[in-house]
């Protein structure tokens, strides 16, 4: 009997020891927290939600191409979904909340509003999901990094080029897109600050496009009607530039009213070649998508990521558009 009891006790202790050995480390490995290796260490594909401000414009399609390239390189699966319009705060909040509910490994996002998205990003943090912002950031230190253009600097470069085109004198119009969106606010401020350094130039009108080409076209019509002497316009994003170009075309003012745009969609490039647009401040959306996903993966692997990753800007004109480095920037996936 004694022998049997000892044998039983040994077996129970052995089983308990084996159980402890098998389960002791798994809870910490299966729980993904910002900066912890978690799932990334297991070799399984990481699920990363990439949430742009919109999906219609070519800029965002190029961001997706960069994100896809990084996903392929770093063993990740991309869940790409954005709101129908860049003003749709409620829509983007729902997409974010759905990603949190699905317990994705990380979120890469461009915020439609720098304040309104903060509470939802806090929910992601509370759920242990690291957040990387691209293009448009938020007023919070929750995101591990912002991968973006220096928008103020880009707009300053656009203002300098417009001032040069006007011989440092005259009236100009400004078309930002969404008040409260970080990128729009930064570009507006950057443009305004630079124009102040050119005392011979006055901003005669500032009208928003809501990131809609037809609204930008109407804004241009309105500012030209109210201020017939406007000699130049700055369209602060793709729809702003395209809408302004259409209005100038309709009024027979191509080349007479100088137009500087932001971004480099096919439509913008075509109008640059035609002379409706004199210069484009070009970002690197492919790099934004790529570096955003890369930063998310590195965070999940426990690596330190710089709090700000500048993807750069280039002013493209008819004079430099055919240079190899500019062509690569304009057509990152080839023509």
């Amino acid at each position: 009997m004694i022998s049997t009891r000892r044998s039983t006790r040994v077996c129970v202790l052995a089983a308990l020891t084996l159980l402890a050995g098998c389960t002791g480390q798994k809870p910490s490995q299966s729980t993904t927290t910002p900066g912890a290796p978690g799932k990334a260490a297991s070799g399984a594909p990481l699920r990363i939600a990439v949430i742009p401000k919109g999906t219609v414009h070519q800029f965002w399609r190029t961001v997706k191409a960069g994100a896809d390239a990084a996903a392929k390189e770093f063993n990740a699966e991309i869940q790409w979904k954005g709101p129908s319009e860049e003003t749709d705060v409620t829509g983007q909040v729902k997409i974010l909340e759905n990603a949190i509910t699905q317990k994705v490994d990380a979120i890469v996002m461009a915020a439609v509003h720098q304040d309104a998205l903060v509470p939802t990003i806090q929910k992601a943090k509370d759920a242990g999901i690291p957040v990387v912002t691209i293009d448009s950031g938020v007023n919070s230190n929750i995101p591990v990094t912002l991968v973006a253009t220096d928008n103020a600097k880009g707009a300053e470069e656009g203002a300098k080029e417009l001032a040069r085109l006007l011989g440092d004198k005259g009236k100009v119009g400004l078309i930002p897109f969404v008040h409260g969106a970080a990128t729009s606010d930064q570009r507006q401020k950057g443009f305004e600050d630079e124009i102040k350094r050119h005392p011979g130039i006055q901003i005669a009108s500032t009208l928003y496009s809501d990131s809609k080409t037809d609204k930008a076209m109407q804004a241009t019509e309105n500012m030209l009607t109210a201020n017939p002497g406007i000699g130049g316009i700055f369209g602060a994003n793709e729809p702003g530039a395209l809408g302004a170009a259409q209005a100038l075309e309709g009024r027979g003012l191509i080349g007479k009213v100088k137009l500087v745009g932001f971004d480099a969609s096919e439509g913008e490039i075509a109008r640059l070649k035609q002379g409706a647009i004199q210069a484009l401040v070009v970002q690197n959306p492919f790099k934004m998508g790529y570096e955003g996903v890369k930063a998310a993966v590195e965070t999940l692997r426990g690596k330190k990521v710089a709090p700000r990753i500048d993807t750069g800007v280039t002013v493209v004109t008819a004079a430099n558009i055919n240079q190899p480095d500019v062509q690569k920037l304009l057509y990152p996936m080839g023509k």
Side-chain angles (χ1 to χ4, degrees):
M1 291 295 294
I2 294 174
S3 175
T4 302
R5 286 176 182 171
R6 285 180 178 172
S7 176
T8 301
R9 191 182 305 138
V10 169
C11 289
V12 170
L13 288 172
L16 289 172
T17 301
L18 178 61
L19 181 62
C22 291
T23 62
Q25 296 301 318
K26 286 194 175 180
S28 62
Q29 288 180 345
S30 61
T31 302
T32 302
T33 57
K39 185 176 177 182
S42 70
L46 296 166
R47 291 188 307 137
I48 300 177
V50 182
I51 305 172
K53 289 197 295 187
T55 57
V56 176
H57 303 303
Q58 186 174 328
F59 178 89
W60 298 114
R61 294 196 292 272
T62 308
V63 168
K64 183 179 185 297
D68 287 340
K72 185 177 181 181
E73 182 176 342
F74 299 112
N75 189 30
E77 294 175 356
I78 296 301
Q79 297 179 4
W80 172 267
K81 190 172 184 180
S84 57
E85 295 184 357
E86 294 186 23
T87 53
D88 188 3
V89 174
T90 302
Q92 192 174 51
V93 166
K94 288 180 179 178
I95 294 168
L96 270 166
E97 289 181 340
N98 186 51
I100 295 167
T101 300
Q102 291 181 3
K103 297 180 180 178
V104 296
D105 295 301
I107 293 171
V108 176
M109 64 167 294
V112 299
H113 196 282
Q114 57 190 340
D115 296 313
L117 274 297
V118 174
T120 313
I121 291 174
Q122 179 66 53
K123 290 180 182 179
K125 180 183 178 182
D126 294 342
I129 300 172
V131 176
V132 170
T133 47
I134 60 173
D135 180 64
S136 300
V138 292
N139 286 327
S140 168
N141 61 2
I142 293 173
V144 295
T145 187
L146 169 63
V147 182
T149 303
D150 183 334
N151 286 286
K153 181 180 178 182
E156 287 174 10
E157 293 300 319
K160 286 178 185 177
E161 182 62 19
L162 191 56
R164 186 190 69 79
L165 289 164
L166 294 176
D168 264 334
K169 59 184 179 181
K171 295 180 180 180
V172 298
L174 169 60
I175 307 178
F177 35 109
V178 179
H179 181 65
T183 47
S184 182
D185 290 350
Q186 289 161 8
R187 291 176 199 175
Q188 180 175 348
K189 187 175 187 305
F191 184 84
E192 291 170 345
D193 287 349
E194 180 58 34
I195 290 299
K196 289 175 183 175
R197 300 184 183 103
H198 302 266
I201 296 181
Q202 173 193 353
I203 298 177
S205 179
T206 299
L207 298 173
Y208 292 85
S209 71
D210 286 344
S211 283
K212 296 178 181 178
T213 301
D214 58 345
K215 191 163 182 178
M217 180 178 175
Q218 188 58 56
T220 305
E221 295 280 4
N222 292 343
M223 64 175 56
L224 289 172
T225 299
N227 304 276
I230 281 181
I233 294 172
F234 179 60
N237 69 348
E238 176 187 336
L242 289 176
Q246 289 175 16
L248 295 179
E249 288 167 357
R251 288 193 173 216
L253 294 175
I254 290 179
K256 296 176 183 178
V257 175
K258 308 301 181 183
L259 176 57
V260 174
F262 217 103
D263 296 325
S265 67
E266 291 179 6
E268 288 175 292
I269 294 170
R271 284 170 171 79
L272 177 65
K273 292 178 178 178
Q274 293 163 4
I277 293 175
Q278 278 65 51
L280 292 170
V281 180
V282 181
Q283 306 183 78
N284 196 330
F286 185 92
K287 187 174 182 180
M288 280 185 205
Y290 179 90
E291 293 291 342
V293 170
K294 180 182 177 183
V297 171
E298 290 185 340
T299 298
L300 290 167
R301 290 176 177 170
K303 296 182 180 179
K304 261 197 165 185
V305 176
R308 180 72 166 83
I309 299 173
D310 186 351
T311 51
V313 291
T314 302
V315 176
V316 177
T317 66
N320 68 359
I321 190 170
N322 291 317
Q323 293 177 3
D325 57 334
V326 173
Q327 284 287 298
K328 186 177 180 180
L329 179 64
L330 296 178
Y331 305 103
M333 297 168 286
K335 290 186 180 180

